[in-house]
Amino acid sequence: MSFRTTADYVEDVSPGGGALPPRAWYAASDAKSLSLNGSWRFRLSATADAEDDSFAEPGHDTGDWAEVTVPGHWVLQGHGAPIYTNHLYPFPVDPPRVPTENPTGDHVRHFDLPADWPADGAAVLRFDGVESCARVWLNGTDIGEFKGSRLPHEFAVGHLLRPAGNVLAVRVHQWSAGSYLEDQDQWWLPGIFRDVTLLHRPAGCVLDFFVHASYDHVSGEGTLRVDSDTDGRVTVPELDLDLATGESATVPVEPWTAETPRLYDGVLATEGERVPLRIGFRTVELSDGLIKVNGTAVLFKGVNRHEWHPERGRALDAETMREDVLLMKRHNINAVRTSHYPPHPAFLDLCDELGLWVIDECDLETHGFTEQGWRDNPVDDDRWTPALLDRAARMVERDKNHPSVVMWSLGNEAGTGRGLTAMAEWIRGRDASRLIHYEGDLDCRDTDVYSRMYAAHAEVERIGRGLDGGTHKRRALPFIQCEYAHAMGNGPGGLADYQRLFEAYERLQGGFVWEWIDHGIRHPELGYAYGGDFGEELHDGNFVCDGLLFPDRTPSPGLAEYKKVIEPVGFDGEGGTVRITNKQDFADLSALAFEWSYQVEGETAESGSLAVPPLAPGASAEVKLPEPPAPHPDGGETQWTVRAVLAADTAWAPRGHVVAWGQFPVTARQAPAVAATARPVRGADRITLGPAAFDARTGALLSIGAVAVRGLRLDVWRAPTDNDDGASWQDDVRHGPLWRRLGLHRMRHRLDAVETAGDALTVRTRVAPAAWEFGLATVYRWTSDGTRLKLTVSVVPEGDWTVPLPRLGVRFALSAADEVRWFGGGPGEAYPDTRAASMTGRWRSTVDALQTPYVRPQENGARAGVRWAELGGLRVEGDPEFWLTARRWTTEQLDAARHLTDLAPGDAVWVNLDHGQHGIGSQSCGPGPLPGYFLRAEPAEFSFVFTETG
């Protein structure tokens, strides 16, 4: 056997050698196939050339080797460790060179051919994904090497196969020249992480084929033509079509859209193989400055989706992929950008079947070159262009038959250059039926859409109004936010404000929230691990946890908010009518049923069905609501709730699934009133007032009836969210660091007076941070009617407050509390710019269930618009409504925690009753909260009424 150095192929800028040309992927045919997934023998070396290639020889003893599961990543199976960086290369930037320290995994799989495997010998060995560079041997013969981790590679191997005792050997290098093209914001995870399959290729089999299925929205007809490298026939029984390959036919059809994913089953039959087809007729075009499908402009309500599983990394199974698509559909998402590489091909089958628009993105990102001003960027270096074209071709050829794919994306954060232009030109020459996307092309030289990341609301509005400037070509193109609303930790905020802009301006065709799922790795001590938890030399912390799903695929409050913001039905109620609007682009409302309910003090008094016409897309109708019940003699707050639910089971959700809802007030709430009839009585060490006892020296509340209360005082601090802390490049405007610098996390409480004059106990204080001259003059005024206790808090800022407050309210500790009941917003958390999904009603929870388990602990769990709450033996009513938070640890303990496992329940439940909260925004990467959501340091007065519930 020969010995190779790393320079032979690992550091070669070419895409590799020996692989067959790329072709269309299909899930199955009547040709035989053999999955080689499963347990493989594995040996890890520290460098690329530590071992020779004798392991690939038949008969080599691998009995003492470890075992790994394929598909999989060896660093998630006990061999080495993952590395997380956002954009920094975790090795010296010296393209195309890589470090000598290059973890290399030798994989060996022994297999026999099935007894019924055809004897004609032709076969292809297919790898669907290997990171980052692989060299392959079959039965001791070197068949080639390849780069392009998230792309398929096939090798002709029929002449090498044996009926039994086959030895497949694959050497995988973590680092290669290809790593410079794969600097995506994700874990670096080497391994054979997608399927390995042996495919029989009978004589006259299907090679490559291209399904062209366009739709004419004027005539209602579809035109089908299937081009094939092997002559054959195409049959579509439902359309009574039987065509030769290359032949066209035009017939009336129902078009495919993400809302109405109509597929026609067909078959491509050649002399040696039959391949099932799922055909969707649709036409994508740039027309009148807009992205149109079937003649209609579309509005993307999308997400960016990295592939992720907390235990298996990017090695996803079919069930996990389906779960992703079902969750998207159930949360009103209609589009996916496959950030930042083509997904497993089965995912696109699901998008075809269930209905999602797809921007299919090439496996290309060179983000780390920003650190050197893009110098030596491969995208602008002709030596790398063959590798770029290879990646583009492998994406387009693999995925070209999916109707869900409406745009090709050249890659992500790779600068600009000749290589991208070459990719765009090649794609246009191969497939003119789709548009081309690339966010980094700000002049839109090579693209068909103007795409941006994290543009703030004001800029998005300027773009919508056509006031953004730029080249003449760019100004004539539609706009999308390919990334916006960074879903890291608590957030994202401002979604509803973005959506109002998208719906107001025709040029704004929506966006894609970053991103779908937190990339936490399940860890026995930490719960979920993130960057730095594996001893990485360079890392970007929990920036890898920025999704709308938690790592276990539990929806976050951010996903509930997004579902509400992008719901496909709009409700606008006034008086006894509701205006219902169909916000869909293609489907009418016939698939939905409508329900109404009438709530009194948060409880449903009556309910029924609502007759709504099957409105066409964009149409509205005024619908009369029933006569409300007679008002309660004691009055009370009343409201309507109207829901749109699925009228029948669908492929993605059952009958009754709530798609959209709206609420409309009828009669307003009456603020709680307490007559100040009781008087404070001062004793030696206690002051009593109605049911309450206070410390005579400090005026601190000690108890309400039998309920012990401690530590009640003004509170302005919250454990900063990822969005409060902001991105490192936004130092001048990040509120979290500013709050800490000004000491808002360590406020001092000075007692100025305890007064018991007349019918009130008044405690005067000043709340201020050490080292600064500004503060908050705070007065607590207590009154009672003998049974109930009222606290009125008055706050007046003093000095020069240069930052908004994190929160403003009171906090205190109860010795025991478990169940919480409240009337207000729920069921989940909400903050000023994340409260669209907060539904007013009566709710109950445990204290533990109130917590939102963000991977990095931070402020969470507030319920908005609370009228009253009951917990720990107390009932609290607010004037005005308040924000409720309750947890088994202090804010300071929450602030200090780095993982959920750092939080241990204490001997008390800490309750926050907040008059105000600062907004959330998405400044962990994007803009902060809009100014209207700032909690400014201004004079404020708010009250709470406490009653012992017994």
Side-chain angles (χ1 to χ4, degrees):
M1 302 296 293
S2 62
F3 181 82
R4 292 192 175 196
T5 66
T6 59
D8 286 314
Y9 64 97
V10 174
E11 295 182 338
D12 191 334
V13 299
S14 76
L20 296 169
R23 65 187 181 113
W25 184 89
Y26 48 91
S29 78
D30 63 350
K32 295 290 183 182
S33 66
L34 176 64
S35 172
L36 298 178
N37 295 346
S39 180
W40 290 50
R41 291 291 183 174
F42 176 78
R43 176 183 66 186
L44 182 63
S45 303
T47 65
D49 53 6
E51 302 283 351
D52 64 24
D53 51 22
S54 61
F55 81 101
E57 285 292 325
H60 185 89
D61 185 6
T62 59
D64 61 348
W65 287 25
E67 292 188 9
V68 295
T69 298
V70 172
H73 307 277
W74 71 69
V75 294
L76 297 183
Q77 300 184 58
H79 306 280
I83 300 170
Y84 168 61
T85 60
N86 169 27
H87 76 279
L88 297 174
Y89 289 107
F91 48 79
V93 179
D94 182 22
R97 305 297 302 278
V98 295
T100 300
E101 298 82 14
N102 188 356
T104 295
D106 290 334
H107 300 68
V108 174
R109 176 76 152 86
H110 298 84
F111 66 95
D112 299 333
L113 295 178
D116 60 351
W117 191 266
D120 61 11
V124 164
L125 177 65
R126 181 182 185 92
F127 295 88
D128 279 306
V130 183
E131 182 175 332
S132 76
C133 172
R135 182 180 171 201
V136 186
W137 296 262
L138 181 61
N139 293 327
T141 298
D142 182 351
I143 61 174
E145 67 275 342
F146 61 89
K147 308 176 190 77
S149 298
R150 268 67 72 174
L151 297 162
H153 294 83
E154 292 183 332
F155 297 89
V157 296
H159 60 295
L160 300 174
L161 289 172
R162 303 168 180 173
N166 292 284
V167 179
L168 175 59
V170 185
R171 173 164 286 170
V172 180
H173 306 281
Q174 174 156 17
W175 310 123
S176 69
S179 301
Y180 285 99
L181 304 181
E182 296 172 3
D183 189 26
Q184 293 101 341
D185 175 13
Q186 60 180 340
W187 295 96
W188 298 87
L189 299 174
I192 305 172
F193 69 95
R194 287 186 186 159
D195 307 288
V196 182
T197 312
L198 185 68
L199 304 168
H200 176 239
R201 298 285 77 208
C205 66
V206 173
L207 297 174
D208 191 21
F209 63 96
F210 197 160
V211 177
H212 303 274
S214 61
Y215 178 72
D216 185 332
H217 66 279
V218 176
S219 68
E221 294 177 318
T223 299
L224 176 65
R225 186 184 82 248
V226 178
D227 295 331
S228 174
D229 287 358
T230 305
D231 290 342
R233 298 200 70 79
V234 177
T235 54
V236 187
E238 190 175 356
L239 297 176
D240 197 26
L241 289 179
D242 185 344
L243 306 171
T245 53
E247 182 180 342
S248 296
T250 300
V251 293
V253 296
E254 298 173 45
W256 187 97
T257 75
E259 295 168 8
T260 56
R262 180 67 159 94
L263 293 172
Y264 291 89
D265 290 327
V267 173
L268 168 60
T270 63
E271 177 188 353
E273 189 174 13
R274 291 172 59 85
V275 175
L277 304 177
R278 303 212 76 191
I279 302 166
F281 291 88
R282 58 106 187 93
T283 295
V284 183
E285 61 181 338
L286 184 64
S287 176
D288 303 320
L290 298 173
I291 304 163
K292 292 185 178 181
V293 179
N294 303 336
T296 297
V298 296
L299 183 61
F300 295 116
K301 304 170 183 178
V303 291
N304 288 273
R305 175 186 175 269
H306 268 300
E307 295 177 304
W308 188 250
H309 187 280
E311 295 166 346
R312 300 192 300 271
R314 287 188 286 278
L316 298 191
D317 57 16
E319 293 75 17
T320 300
M321 289 185 274
R322 180 171 285 274
E323 183 179 357
D324 276 349
V325 177
L326 292 178
L327 280 169
M328 290 176 188
K329 294 291 290 186
R330 290 168 185 167
H331 288 86
N332 295 328
I333 289 165
N334 72 0
V336 177
R337 175 178 174 232
T338 69
S339 53
H340 295 296
Y341 43 82
H344 190 291
F347 179 79
L348 298 179
D349 282 345
L350 292 168
C351 296
D352 294 343
E353 172 193 340
L354 297 170
L356 289 170
W357 307 117
V358 175
I359 297 180
D360 199 356
E361 192 148 273
C362 194
D363 189 9
L364 172 62
E365 180 166 339
T366 63
H367 200 175
F369 284 90
T370 57
E371 297 300 309
Q372 54 197 63
W374 295 106
R375 187 173 62 256
D376 298 328
N377 182 12
V379 161
D380 201 29
D381 183 336
D382 291 339
R383 294 175 300 167
W384 294 81
T385 298
L388 303 186
L389 290 172
D390 180 76
R391 290 170 183 248
R394 291 188 182 277
M395 170 182 70
V396 170
E397 301 296 6
R398 191 196 76 168
D399 297 341
K400 59 182 177 282
N401 295 325
H402 290 284
S404 57
V405 176
V406 294
M407 276 193 266
W408 302 116
S409 180
L410 303 179
N412 183 69
E413 293 176 318
T416 58
R418 292 164 288 178
L420 285 172
T421 299
M423 292 169 69
E425 290 175 349
W426 184 90
I427 292 173
R428 284 197 175 93
R430 178 58 174 150
D431 177 25
S433 69
R434 294 175 173 95
L435 306 182
I436 292 180
H437 166 273
Y438 177 67
E439 177 269 339
D441 183 10
L442 291 181
D443 290 336
C444 301
R445 181 181 64 178
D446 298 319
T447 59
D448 298 308
V449 296
Y450 176 30
S451 177
R452 288 283 304 281
M453 295 181 181
Y454 306 108
H457 298 79
E459 183 180 3
V460 170
E461 182 164 20
R462 287 197 300 273
I463 293 170
R465 297 173 62 192
L467 303 177
D468 54 304
T471 63
H472 178 77
K473 178 184 178 183
R474 191 181 86 180
R475 294 197 307 274
L477 293 179
F479 175 81
I480 63 170
Q481 285 251 62
C482 69
E483 293 180 22
Y484 82 113
H486 198 249
M488 185 176 177
N490 187 336
L495 282 169
D497 306 280
Y498 274 120
Q499 195 64 26
R500 280 191 286 270
L501 294 173
F502 295 157
E503 294 178 5
Y505 296 98
E506 187 179 52
R507 186 189 183 194
L508 307 180
Q509 294 198 250
F512 297 78
V513 168
W514 184 269
E515 66 159 299
W516 178 236
I517 187 169
D518 287 344
H519 298 199
I521 294 176
R522 201 181 302 279
H523 191 282
E525 286 85 38
L526 302 177
Y528 290 107
Y530 49 76
D533 288 334
F534 297 96
E536 298 102 308
E537 181 180 47
L538 290 174
H539 67 84
D540 286 289
N542 68 312
F543 201 71
V544 76
C545 295
D546 46 11
L548 294 169
L549 298 180
F550 296 125
D552 64 357
R553 282 183 161 71
T554 300
S556 75
L559 184 55
E561 178 78 357
Y562 195 36
K563 174 185 177 180
K564 173 62 179 166
V565 164
I566 60 174
E567 60 189 9
V569 182
F571 301 95
D572 186 12
E574 186 175 358
T577 64
V578 57
R579 184 174 182 82
I580 296 176
T581 302
N582 181 358
K583 294 186 175 184
Q584 297 178 108
D585 296 324
F586 297 94
D588 64 23
L589 297 186
S590 59
L592 301 179
F594 290 80
E595 304 170 346
W596 63 268
S597 59
Y598 185 78
Q599 287 87 37
V600 178
E601 288 292 297
E603 292 189 313
T604 296
E606 291 189 16
S607 62
S609 60
L610 190 67
V612 176
L615 298 170
S620 299
E622 300 278 349
V623 179
K624 181 71 174 172
L625 292 165
E627 287 297 318
H632 191 275
D634 295 333
E637 181 177 358
T638 60
Q639 67 179 10
W640 293 103
T641 300
V642 181
R643 293 178 174 88
V645 304
L646 289 179
D649 291 347
T650 70
W652 49 269
R655 178 179 180 270
H657 167 79
V658 177
V659 173
W661 56 271
Q663 289 188 309
F664 322 108
V666 180
T667 58
R669 168 184 184 241
Q670 295 179 352
V674 176
T677 56
R679 289 178 173 268
V681 177
R682 183 183 288 270
D685 58 358
R686 293 285 188 272
I687 298 172
T688 59
L689 176 61
F694 302 82
D695 184 284
R697 184 180 64 83
T698 64
L701 177 66
L702 301 175
S703 63
I704 301 173
V707 179
V709 181
R710 61 184 169 93
L712 189 148
R713 65 185 189 182
L714 189 79
D715 192 17
V716 300
W717 182 244
R718 72 184 187 193
T721 67
D722 291 314
N723 289 306
D724 290 337
D725 282 340
S728 60
W729 57 87
Q730 300 167 322
D731 279 334
D732 57 331
V733 293
R734 294 189 297 155
H735 286 126
L738 286 173
W739 291 336
R740 287 191 196 277
R741 185 168 67 84
L742 295 175
L744 300 193
H745 61 308
R746 49 175 175 78
M747 301 290 275
R748 302 291 189 262
H749 297 253
R750 186 185 75 207
L751 177 63
D752 289 340
V754 177
E755 302 168 353
T756 55
D759 57 8
L761 167 62
T762 303
V763 181
R764 303 184 185 278
T765 69
R766 187 174 190 270
V767 182
W772 299 93
E773 63 180 358
F774 56 83
L776 300 170
T778 305
V779 178
Y780 308 90
R781 186 173 188 273
W782 299 94
T783 57
S784 176
D785 62 3
T787 301
R788 296 183 295 168
L789 179 70
K790 181 177 182 179
L791 166 64
T792 299
V793 182
S794 301
V795 180
V796 177
E798 297 177 341
D800 185 15
W801 280 86
T802 58
V803 295
L805 296 170
R807 69 176 349 128
L808 181 66
V810 297
R811 82 165 180 180
F812 55 89
L814 299 174
S815 58
D818 186 22
E819 185 177 73
V820 184
R821 298 176 61 246
W822 75 98
F823 173 27
E829 76 178 23
Y831 290 83
D833 53 349
T834 68
R835 62 183 298 179
S838 184
M839 177 182 281
T840 301
R842 291 203 189 191
W843 309 100
R844 68 174 63 226
S845 172
T846 63
V847 169
D848 294 336
L850 287 177
Q851 314 311 307
T852 303
Y854 295 113
V855 174
R856 185 191 74 81
Q858 56 197 270
E859 166 63 34
N860 74 89
R863 268 53 180 184
V866 176
R867 283 74 163 158
W868 57 257
E870 294 180 350
L871 73 166
L874 287 181
R875 178 183 175 96
V876 184
E877 299 172 81
D879 181 16
E881 300 163 2
F882 60 95
W883 306 81
L884 170 69
T885 308
R887 52 177 68 104
R888 298 189 188 278
W889 35 79
T890 66
T891 297
E892 291 74 19
Q893 291 167 328
L894 182 64
D895 191 9
R898 290 297 169 260
H899 295 87
L900 290 171
T901 50
D902 296 334
L903 293 169
D907 60 356
V909 170
W910 290 88
V911 180
N912 277 88
L913 310 176
D914 288 315
H915 176 62
Q917 280 268 359
H918 187 64
I920 296 295
S922 65
Q923 201 171 7
S924 51
C925 191
L930 287 168
Y933 302 117
F934 282 24
L935 179 59
R936 302 188 186 279
E938 297 173 339
E941 184 172 285
F942 47 94
S943 299
F944 303 103
V945 176
F946 299 89
T947 309
E948 185 182 11
T949 59

